[in-house]
């Protein structure tokens, strides 16, 4: 009852003190100009969307090539405006402007006087307006055009390979919106997070944060509550901490010494937070109430906290060095140890689920986070080309038990060593670390994406890398830090089912990584979207056959990384013959994505314990992609590959390694059997059968294996099963690895059979006809 009362009090305080704002927005060419028109604006949001509605642009933004309507806006200024009366302030009260995020470089003015300016979108803005208020007021926020650094790359590289990212290389602005192979060129700006006026009392609580240090046995902790506010000296506090079951485990009261106070205590018999598949994501509830000398509540904050220890360690067998001199260092550590247990990190690269960060919120985050847990993932890599997600994203990952590998917003280019850039990076990174470190889901930090590669040219000696390492040590030293991904020893890519120069199919090149790669932080297999989804954003006269220069190219099927990516038409027609319909294209493409992803995830797991991580590229999309490596299409529609990956990431399953995907009549089919187990539970002996299923209902069992059982968190390699392929009349056959006593361990795989000339069957919706 008391907790409910405190929540009500906190809500009432916020409701009474926050003032509604009716924003308008306009655009202009030069910094001193006044917009010709101001239009109603949704905040948080995106000025591009406000202008689209007001000026009646073609909608929706994601249909056909409508997105190109916004390109002219790159070189304009946006100005937000709000007119308001001076509120009736009581003695001691102040009026504060507060924003959690403005993208990216801006000036804030009140009644024509500049009050604040900033470069950077991740620092909160707090401005006391009280002394400058008039009876009638006008506050404006002028957003500068995005920085546009030049590029030394050849023009053909810029056009085909999407190196527009270089435009962002002198700023800490996430480069994805400058154009990527799954994101159109549409550079976000504007007020992207919660923003409001607030009447502050003479005494108020600004923030509180729990920090802790677990003991060696992970059972007890020294816990600190850091409190920050104004005029809090001698104010009364009550701090209560409840366990995940609701039991009060800590209750402290007293007087505050000053505006910055740390309250310390010891906590015993802690219930730890665990990632998905290894335990429950247990969260404690911290409630802090501050009262003034009259006994009135001046601040209440309720937060969740999860207790865990995260380490990045060397996998078994990765301390590799020659027996003779000269010697060198081994590969970088890439295996996660959570709460003393080594885990195999299974997950995906998280990219924005919307084009504009301003329209991201808990409501549209949650379906994706929920699906990630459903996919048996335990980690999401918050990729370095995007924004640092809003608080609700991290809260959801805390609740669903998904670890977050958080990268700073740097990617794929050579960031400068100059002081101006580094000063912004220092301030932005401090704000990012202090915000995200409070979440149980945080697994480790990374300096950014693809920074130590030939196309980027950075090293550990680059000032930005040295700075970020220092910042993470200074503000969150107990959380691991890596400079970038990939590091030496990691396997990065590939992103297609087959490429000859890469060693052929995924079935051929993935097994070569055994005892070579410590982690697979990116890999992908593309497919086109479903017929139903394609019809929503590609005009009917362009649907089939797909062609470059149409909406297919606008939506990333052609020309993003080579002429035929991500649609891969030459590959599909080589394997399946001439494709005669959109339905055939979708079915064949999605089949290869399913089987390719199953192969990669299961093979990475077979390479445990040397390998400790498999994270595909990518989980979702910010807008509808005609073809892409994603498991979930926008807006939140699962591809068939989602279920394929979900099955490949089950904690325990019977698995098989195959030599290839397509077979000729008369060939001998062979596969190596495995039992994969990520659970900290022993597996009992059980029988495993391997079956060939073809021509709809014909079935041959060609191996019975008596699996002898295995230790916890261990894989077990079994025998090789072989069978001469019988004559078939269909293009496809299946291999089923069956565990009669544990059907939840069963696995199923589909392969292509070259039917004699004159016979062609179809594979539609997963059914061979």
């Amino acid at each position: 009852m008391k907790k409910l009362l405190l929540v009500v009090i906190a809500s009432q305080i916020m409701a009474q003190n926050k003032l509604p704002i009716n924003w308008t927005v306009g655009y202009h060419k030069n910094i001193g100009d006044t917009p010709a028109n101001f239009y109603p604006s949704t905040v948080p949001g995106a000025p591009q969307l406000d202008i689209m509605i007001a000026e009646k642009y073609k909608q929706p933004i994601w249909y056909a090539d409508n997105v190109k309507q916004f390109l002219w806006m790159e070189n304009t200024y946006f100005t937000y405006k709000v007119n308001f009366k001076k509120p009736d302030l009581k003695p001691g009260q102040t009026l504060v402007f507060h924003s959690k995020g403005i993208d990216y470089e801006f000036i804030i003015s009140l009644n024509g006087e500049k009050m604040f300016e900033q470069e950077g979108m991740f620092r909160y803005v707090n401005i006391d307006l009280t002394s400058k208020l008039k009876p009638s007021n006008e506050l404006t926020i002028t957003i500068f055009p995005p920085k546009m650094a030049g590029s030394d790359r050849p023009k053909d590289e810029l056009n085909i390979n999407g190196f527009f990212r270089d435009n962002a290389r002198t700023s800490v602005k996430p480069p994805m919106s400058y154009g990527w192979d799954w994101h159109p060129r549409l550079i976000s700006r504007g007020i992207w997070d919660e923003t409001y006026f607030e009447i502050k009392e003479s005494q108020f609580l600004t923030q509180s944060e729990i920090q802790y240090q677990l003991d060696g046995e992970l059972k007890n902790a020294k816990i600190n509550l850091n409190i920050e506010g104004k005029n809090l000296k001698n104010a009364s506090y009550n701090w209560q901490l409840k366990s995940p079951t609701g039991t009060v485990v800590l209750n402290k009261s007293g007087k505050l010494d000053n505006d910055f106070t740390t309250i310390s205590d010891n906590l015993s018999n802690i219930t730890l937070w665990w990632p998905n598949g290894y335990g429950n994501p247990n969260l404690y509830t911290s409630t802090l109430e501050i009262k003034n000398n009259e006994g009135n509540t001046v601040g209440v904050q309720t937060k969740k906290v999860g207790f865990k220890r995260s380490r990045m360690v060397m996998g078994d067998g990765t301390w590799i060095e020659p027996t003779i001199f000269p010697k060198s260092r081994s590969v970088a550590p890439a295996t996660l140890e959570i709460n003393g247990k080594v885990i195999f990190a299974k997950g995906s690269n998280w990219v924005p689920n919307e084009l504009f960060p301003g329209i991201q919120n808990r409501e549209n985050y949650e379906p994706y986070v929920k699906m990630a847990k459903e996919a048996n993932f335990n980690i999401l890599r918050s990729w370095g080309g995007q924004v640092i997600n809003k608080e609700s994203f991290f809260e959801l990952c805390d609740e669903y038990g998904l670890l977050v590998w958080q990268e700073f917003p740097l990617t794929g280019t050579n960031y400068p060593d100059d002081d101006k850039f580094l000063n912004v990076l220092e301030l932005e990174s401090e704000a990012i670390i202090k915000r995200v470190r409070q979440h149980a889901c945080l697994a480790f930090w990374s300096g950014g994406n693809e920074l130590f590669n030939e196309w980027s040219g950075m090293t550990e000696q680059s000032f930005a890398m040295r700075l970020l390492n220092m910042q993470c040590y200074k503000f969150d030293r107990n959380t691991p830090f890596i400079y970038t991904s990939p590091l030496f020893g990691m396997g990065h890519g590939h992103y297609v089912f087959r490429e000859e120069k890469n060693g052929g199919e995924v079935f051929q090149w993935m097994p070569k990584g055994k005892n070579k790669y410590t982690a697979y932080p990116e890999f992908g297999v593309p497919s086109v979207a479903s017929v139903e989804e394609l019809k929503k954003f590609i005009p009917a006269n362009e649907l089939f056959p797909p062609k470059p220069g149409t909406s297919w190219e606008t939506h990333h099927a052609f020309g993003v990384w080579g002429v035929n990516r991500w649609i891969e038409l030459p590959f599909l027609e080589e394997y399946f013959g001439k494709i005669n319909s959109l339905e055939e294209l979708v079915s064949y493409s999605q089949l290869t994505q399913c089987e390719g992803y199953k192969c990669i995830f299961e093979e990475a797991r077979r390479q445990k314990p040397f390998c400790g991580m498999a994270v595909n590229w990518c989980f979702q999309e910010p807008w509808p992609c005609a073809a892409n490596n994603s498991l979930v299409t926008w807006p939140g529609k699962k591809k068939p590959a989602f279920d394929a990956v979900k099955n490949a990431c089950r904690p325990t399953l019977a698995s098989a390694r195959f030599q290839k995907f397509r077979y000729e009549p008369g060939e001998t089919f062979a596969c190596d059997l495995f039992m994969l187990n990520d659970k900290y539970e022993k597996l009992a002996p059980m029988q495993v059968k391997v079956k060939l299923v073809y021509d709809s209902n014909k079935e041959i069992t060609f191996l019975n294996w008596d699996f002898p059982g295995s230790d916890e968190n261990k894989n077990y390699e079994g025998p090789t099963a072989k069978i001469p392929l019988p004559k078939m009349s269909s293009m496809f056959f299946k291999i089923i690895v069956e565990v009669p006593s544990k059907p939840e361990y069963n696995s199923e795989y589909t392969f292509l059979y070259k039917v004699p000339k004159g016979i062609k069957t179809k594979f539609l919706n997963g059914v061979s006809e």
Side-chain angles (χ1 to χ4, degrees), residues 725-757:
L725 290 176
K727 289 184 180 180
M728 304 183 196
S729 60
S730 62
M731 284 177 65
F732 303 95
F733 65 92
K734 294 182 182 291
I735 297 296
I736 298 175
V737 184
E738 184 180 273
V739 184
S741 63
K742 290 280 188 179
E744 64 271 26
Y745 295 172
N746 292 357
S747 295
E748 182 179 296
Y749 310 88
T750 299
F751 297 90
L752 178 61
Y753 180 78
K754 187 174 180 181
V755 179
K757 276 191 175 182

Side-chain angles (χ1 to χ4, degrees), residues 143-206:
I143 314 289
F144 284 59
K147 290 180 179 293
M148 292 288 183
S151 177
D152 297 329
R153 304 181 199 274
K155 188 175 181 181
D156 60 338
E157 275 193 21
L158 283 171
N159 290 341
I160 294 176
N161 292 334
F163 279 116
F164 291 121
R165 68 191 74 174
D166 286 358
N167 291 157
R169 66 186 174 89
T170 59
S171 68
V172 191
K173 180 174 174 60
M176 62 175 183
S177 62
Y178 288 78
W180 223 267
D181 53 73
W182 43 268
H183 194 297
R185 182 158 178 111
L186 182 60
I187 302 176
S188 65
R189 283 185 287 158
I191 305 175
W192 72 281
D193 208 344
E194 189 178 5
T195 298
Y196 50 86
F197 290 134
E198 185 177 5
I199 296 175
K200 293 282 193 181
E201 303 294 334
S202 58
Q203 286 182 296
F204 58 84
L205 171 66
T206 304

